[in-house]
């Protein structure tokens, strides 16, 4: 059994007493070193869920456990050190006047001694491939570069989990690729869990597990492959599947025996040529 | 957008003046500004001018940058000079222009006051020319540190200043974007009667303010997520340290002050 790092137990949340319920009795978990993608419509409660994970919000009902600790006022700062978060807008989370200062910000907050800080800044900027930009001001960086700095800032604090809340949404395709590449790399090198909230279905295929949110409920939980097999159901709540999956579904519709649900072009190709060789 | 506007007046360099601790620079400037008002003889003005010009020389900053900094005050310097010529009536009449008698005392006073003005501007602009805004912020935080005892929000003030510095270029880029968008719809706030121009500026300011508030809210959230909980227990990456060069300049400057007071008329 995998060790769970974060757990929601029957979490419900609403912003005000008279406002609608945003999360309704949600129970989920994220395991150590697991990559979980969260998708769902705008307003389905994804960001709210993310903010409950590091105590930016606290649940009206239910419990949030992080690394075995029940989230509370007392341990909130410890938990924020363990759970890092990257937001959507690259500009509005860049606090420092330079790249170096921005990475330092989190370390300064946690009272890390200066010598240690210098080491960690160098190390985490290297991890995201931004070591040559140490002294750059944010307005001289691209959106993708700023987001990589945001990731470095989070990594510098040595968290056990990183949440990316639509961190690629405002980026161009190149920026998105950079970020996904970075996240992949980081996950191979460090022992961190990753939660990516996204609308990009290609990002979803990279994850170990997908959670689909719909109207404040967990609508689906499973592997990307399992998810994209349920084409009709997913489309019934207004979400779509990647082109490759669609193609596979079409082939199945034509009576071809496509066995496993392909997640990318390579898998589709494999599926196709083995199909041909068996018939 | 030109980059000089973004980083302020700062001209990067590696001179001793650049490398000095910003607190030392601010201290020197503070006392320089006071001492200038005590100078009243050729020698005392001379010592101060020598110190100022020497400092400028050491920075190796091209004179045109310095001239640019002085540009807005040239008018003021010349105006004060002329005002003194006209108003002061001491000493002998030297010559008359257009029926005005120019007295020798007036000429001396005019030169002295203009020189005083010039030195003040020169030495203060030297600070912004050789020090990054963020270093100035650090220095202010450090200098004001004792005020923490009386509950003055020193850390918060410094943080506010540094966040402003961080967002000035961002907001300027945004202003430019919005004003271009408005211009493409035919809004013109660069020409025309002042009332029309003011009216045209409203559709520029409103989106700017809305976005600034949104930014502030998101930034606050991001800061909290990164563990910000006020100045308590925080460490700092940028450290200020007085070094040999600072002590040397401080000692030199002390001699200048002594010289000024010894040579006063
Ligand atoms: N700060 C807030 N105050 C009140 N309501 C909010 C706030 N933030 C989000 N909401 C509401 O909560 C719901 C879920 O929002 P959110 O978690 O941001 O969804 P998502 O990230 O999936 O788009 C939406 O209906 C939204 O209007
Ligand atoms: Mg959201």
């Amino acid at each position: 059994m995998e060790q769970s790092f974060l757990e929601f137990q029957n979490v419900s949340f609403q912003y005000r007493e008279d406002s609608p319920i945003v999360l309704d009795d949600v129970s989920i978990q994220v395991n150590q070193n697991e990559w979980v993608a969260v998708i769902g419509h705008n307003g389905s409660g994804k960001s709210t869920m993310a903010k409950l994970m590091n105590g930016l919000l606290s649940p009206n009902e239910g419990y949030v456990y992080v690394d075995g600790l029940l989230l509370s006022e007392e341990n909130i700062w410890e938990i924020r050190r363990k759970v890092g978060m990257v937001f959507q807008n690259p500009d509005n989370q860049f606090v420092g006047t330079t790249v170096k200062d921005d990475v330092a910000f989190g370390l300064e907050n946690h009272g890390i001694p200066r010598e240690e800080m210098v080491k960690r800044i160098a190390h985490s900027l290297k991890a995201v491939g931004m070591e040559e930009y140490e002294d750059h001001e944010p307005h001289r960086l691209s959106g993708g570069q700023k987001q990589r700095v945001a990731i470095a800032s989070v990594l510098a604090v040595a968290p056990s989990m990183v949440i990316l809340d639509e961190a690629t949404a405002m980026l161009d395709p190149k920026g998105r690729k950079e970020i996904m590449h970075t996240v992949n790399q980081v996950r191979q090198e460090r022992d961190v869990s990753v939660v990516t909230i996204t609308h990009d279905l290609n990002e979803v295929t990279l994850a170990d597990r997908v959670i689909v949110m719909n109207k404040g409920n967990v609508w689906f939980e499973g592997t990307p492959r399992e998810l994209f097999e349920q084409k009709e159901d997913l489309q019934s709540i207004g979400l779509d599947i990647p082109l490759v999956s669609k193609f596979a579904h079409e082939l199945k519709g034509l009576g071809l025996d496509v066995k496993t649900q392909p997640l990318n072009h390579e898998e589709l190709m494999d599926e196709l040529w083995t199909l041909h060789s068996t018939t | 957008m030109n980059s000089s506007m973004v980083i302020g007046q700062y001209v990067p360099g590696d001179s001793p003046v650049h490398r000095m601790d910003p607190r030392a620079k601010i201290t020197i400037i503070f006392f320089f500004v006071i001492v200038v008002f005590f100078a009243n003889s050729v020698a005392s003005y001379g010592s101060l001018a020598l110190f100022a010009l020497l400092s400028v020389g050491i920075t190796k900053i091209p004179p045109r940058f310095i001239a640019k900094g002085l540009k807005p005050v040239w008018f003021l310097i010349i105006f004060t000079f002329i005002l003194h010529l006209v108003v002061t009536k001491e000493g002998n009449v030297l010559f008359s222009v257009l029926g005005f008698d120019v007295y020798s005392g007036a000429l001396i006073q005019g030169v002295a006051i203009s020189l005083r003005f010039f030195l003040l501007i020169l030495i203060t602009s030297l600070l912004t020319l050789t020090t990054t805004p963020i270093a100035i912020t650090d220095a202010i935080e450090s200098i004001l540190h004792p005020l923490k005892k009386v509950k003055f929000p020193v850390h918060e003030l410094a943080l506010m200043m540094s966040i402003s510095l961080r967002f000035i270029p961002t907001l300027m880029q945004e202003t430019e974007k919005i004003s271009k968008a408005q211009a493409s719809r035919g809004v013109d706030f660069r020409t025309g009667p002042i009332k029309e121009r003011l009216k045209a500026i409203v559709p520029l300011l409103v989106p700017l303010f809305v976005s600034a508030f949104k930014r502030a809210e998101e930034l606050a959230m991001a800061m909290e997520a990164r563990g910000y909980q006020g100045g308590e227990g925080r460490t700092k990456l940028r450290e200020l340290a007085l070094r040999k060069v600072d002590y040397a300049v401080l000692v030199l400057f002390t001699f200048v002050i002594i010289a000024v007071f010894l040579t006063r008329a």
Side-chain angles (χ1 to χ4, degrees):
Chain A
M1 173 76 195
E2 277 168 295
Q3 189 77 35
S4 103
F5 173 74
L6 176 135
E7 198 169 341
F8 276 24
Q9 281 181 8
N10 310 96
V11 169
S12 295
F13 182 85
Q14 55 194 127
Y15 279 92
R16 279 187 314 272
E17 262 178 39
D18 55 348
S19 65
I21 291 173
V22 177
L23 289 184
D24 185 12
D25 195 19
V26 170
S27 298
I28 52 158
Q29 64 174 52
V30 179
N31 297 325
Q32 263 169 28
N33 210 9
E34 186 185 27
W35 182 341
V36 175
V38 180
I39 60 172
H41 276 296
N42 283 333
S44 57
K46 305 181 300 292
S47 295
T48 306
M49 189 159 104
K51 285 170 190 162
L52 283 158
M53 289 178 177
N54 67 348
L56 287 174
L57 299 172
S58 50
N60 296 97
E61 273 167 57
Y63 306 97
V64 176
Y65 290 94
V66 177
D67 207 7
L69 294 168
L70 175 64
L71 198 141
S72 68
E73 279 295 317
E74 284 79 56
N75 57 27
I76 198 158
W77 301 108
E78 194 184 335
I79 282 175
R80 283 189 194 153
R81 197 176 52 72
K82 290 182 180 179
V83 181
M85 196 150 161
V86 179
F87 296 86
Q88 181 174 4
N89 191 317
D91 257 316
N92 300 353
Q93 57 187 314
F94 205 112
V95 187
T97 43
T98 65
V99 167
K100 192 166 61 185
D101 286 310
D102 191 60
V103 179
F105 181 74
L107 298 168
E108 293 175 329
N109 290 338
H110 290 107
I112 311 289
R114 194 172 178 280
E115 302 79 59
E116 173 73 15
M117 236 193 274
V118 174
K119 268 188 246 157
R120 288 209 199 175
I121 292 170
H123 196 220
S124 60
L125 281 178
K126 197 146 186 244
V128 300
M130 287 293 291
E131 65 270 35
E132 279 160 33
Y133 296 85
E134 241 193 25
D135 292 312
H136 277 231
E137 295 94 1
H139 61 92
R140 284 161 67 201
L141 303 176
S142 71
Q145 288 174 325
K146 275 182 243 189
Q147 289 302 65
R148 267 149 71 194
V149 174
I151 294 174
S153 304
V154 162
L155 291 180
V157 190
S160 311
M161 178 165 137
V162 179
I163 305 169
L164 293 98
D165 187 355
E166 300 194 31
T168 58
M170 293 178 73
L171 305 181
D172 54 13
K174 184 167 162 281
R176 285 183 191 205
K177 263 209 192 105
E178 279 172 22
I179 299 302
M180 280 306 114
H181 176 78
T182 305
V183 172
N184 240 331
Q185 194 110 355
V186 163
R187 233 179 51 108
Q188 276 160 24
E189 285 163 13
R190 303 182 184 217
D191 190 19
V192 286
S193 319
V194 174
V195 173
T196 50
I197 297 172
T198 183
H199 288 292
D200 187 334
L201 294 168
N202 295 318
E203 277 179 42
V204 174
T205 59
L206 297 170
D208 300 320
R209 199 150 55 86
V210 196
I211 294 174
V212 182
M213 294 299 294
N214 190 37
K215 295 178 185 148
N217 292 297
V218 176
W219 180 84
F220 172 92
E221 219 186 321
T223 64
R225 217 180 288 281
E226 287 163 2
L227 176 69
F228 296 135
E229 269 161 11
Q230 324 200 345
K231 179 180 160 225
E232 275 77 28
D233 287 344
L234 197 58
Q235 285 174 341
S236 77
I237 63 160
L239 292 172
D240 212 353
I241 58 173
L243 194 62
V244 173
S245 309
K246 257 190 208 161
F247 190 64
H249 277 285
E250 290 296 321
L251 291 177
K252 253 187 232 171
L254 291 173
L256 290 178
D257 183 24
V258 180
K259 276 182 228 83
T260 50
Q261 183 65 36
L263 283 182
N264 49 42
H265 287 98
E266 286 75 41
E267 286 188 17
L268 180 67
M269 292 292 269
D270 284 350
E271 195 63 33
L272 284 179
W273 74 259
T274 45
L275 186 77
H276 184 72
S277 63
T278 50
T279 46
Chain B
M1 183 176 42
N2 67 8
S3 58
S4 74
M5 260 166 101
V6 171
I7 46 173
Q9 281 186 299
Y10 178 65
V11 182
D14 193 34
S15 73
V17 181
H18 280 91
R19 275 181 280 127
M20 274 177 74
D21 187 312
R23 291 171 301 178
K25 288 194 246 188
I26 290 177
T27 310
I28 287 173
I29 286 164
F30 179 76
F31 285 105
F32 189 97
V33 167
I34 293 173
V35 172
V36 161
F37 287 94
F38 285 93
N40 63 357
S41 65
V42 174
S44 53
Y45 268 117
S47 330
L48 289 170
L50 191 68
F51 179 78
L53 292 176
L54 209 65
S55 309
V56 172
I58 287 174
T59 63
K60 296 215 181 80
I61 292 174
R64 65 193 161 89
F65 282 101
I66 295 160
K68 211 169 75 184
L70 290 173
K71 216 165 155 190
V73 290
W74 271 128
F75 169 75
L76 223 62
I77 293 174
I78 292 167
F79 179 75
T80 347
F81 180 69
I82 292 174
L83 196 72
H84 269 276
L85 284 192
V86 176
V87 178
T88 315
K89 298 205 175 346
E90 282 164 25
N92 325 313
V93 178
L94 288 178
F95 54 88
S96 12
V97 188
L98 304 168
F100 271 110
D101 292 337
V102 176
Y103 292 79
S104 62
L107 198 62
I108 293 169
Q109 277 235 6
V111 169
I113 302 295
S114 306
L115 185 63
R116 189 178 281 175
F117 229 142
F118 173 76
L119 287 178
L120 283 178
I121 306 294
L122 187 65
I123 204 84
T124 43
S125 63
L126 206 55
L127 176 71
T128 48
L129 282 166
T130 63
T131 323
T132 57
I134 196 70
I136 296 176
T137 305
D138 288 339
I140 291 174
E141 180 172 13
S142 168
I143 290 169
L144 294 183
H145 192 262
L147 290 182
K148 266 196 173 157
K149 288 209 181 70
V150 293
K151 297 264 158 59
F152 186 81
V154 178
H155 160 76
E156 286 76 8
L157 185 75
L159 186 74
M160 263 164 58
M161 283 172 63
S162 85
I163 288 176
S164 312
L165 290 173
R166 142 79 187 90
F167 274 95
I168 286 169
T170 308
L171 291 177
M172 274 175 47
Q173 278 171 356
E174 190 161 16
T175 313
E176 198 176 56
K177 215 167 65 191
I178 297 173
S179 75
K180 271 189 186 148
Q182 304 285 16
S184 72
R185 291 188 217 153
V187 179
D188 177 14
F189 43 77
R190 296 195 204 285
T191 55
I194 192 89
K195 203 172 142 221
E196 292 300 309
R197 270 196 271 177
L198 281 178
K199 245 195 226 158
I201 247 170
V202 172
L204 175 70
L205 285 183
V206 171
L208 201 60
F209 268 87
V210 171
S211 114
F213 276 105
K214 183 161 176 276
R215 282 182 197 284
E217 201 176 354
E218 287 187 21
L219 187 72
M221 180 75 79
M223 284 168 65
E224 208 183 320
R226 282 162 71 182
Y228 180 70
Q229 42 177 326
E232 278 310 300
R234 264 188 124 231
T235 45
K236 290 207 73 172
L237 174 68
R238 284 185 317 256
E239 252 180 359
L240 297 175
L242 288 167
R243 279 170 309 171
K244 272 190 212 130
V245 54
D246 300 298
Y247 291 116
V249 177
L250 282 167
V251 168
L252 178 72
F253 183 64
T254 313
F255 284 129
V256 172
I257 294 181
I258 293 170
V260 168
F261 282 97
L262 287 181
T263 57
R264 260 166 63 85

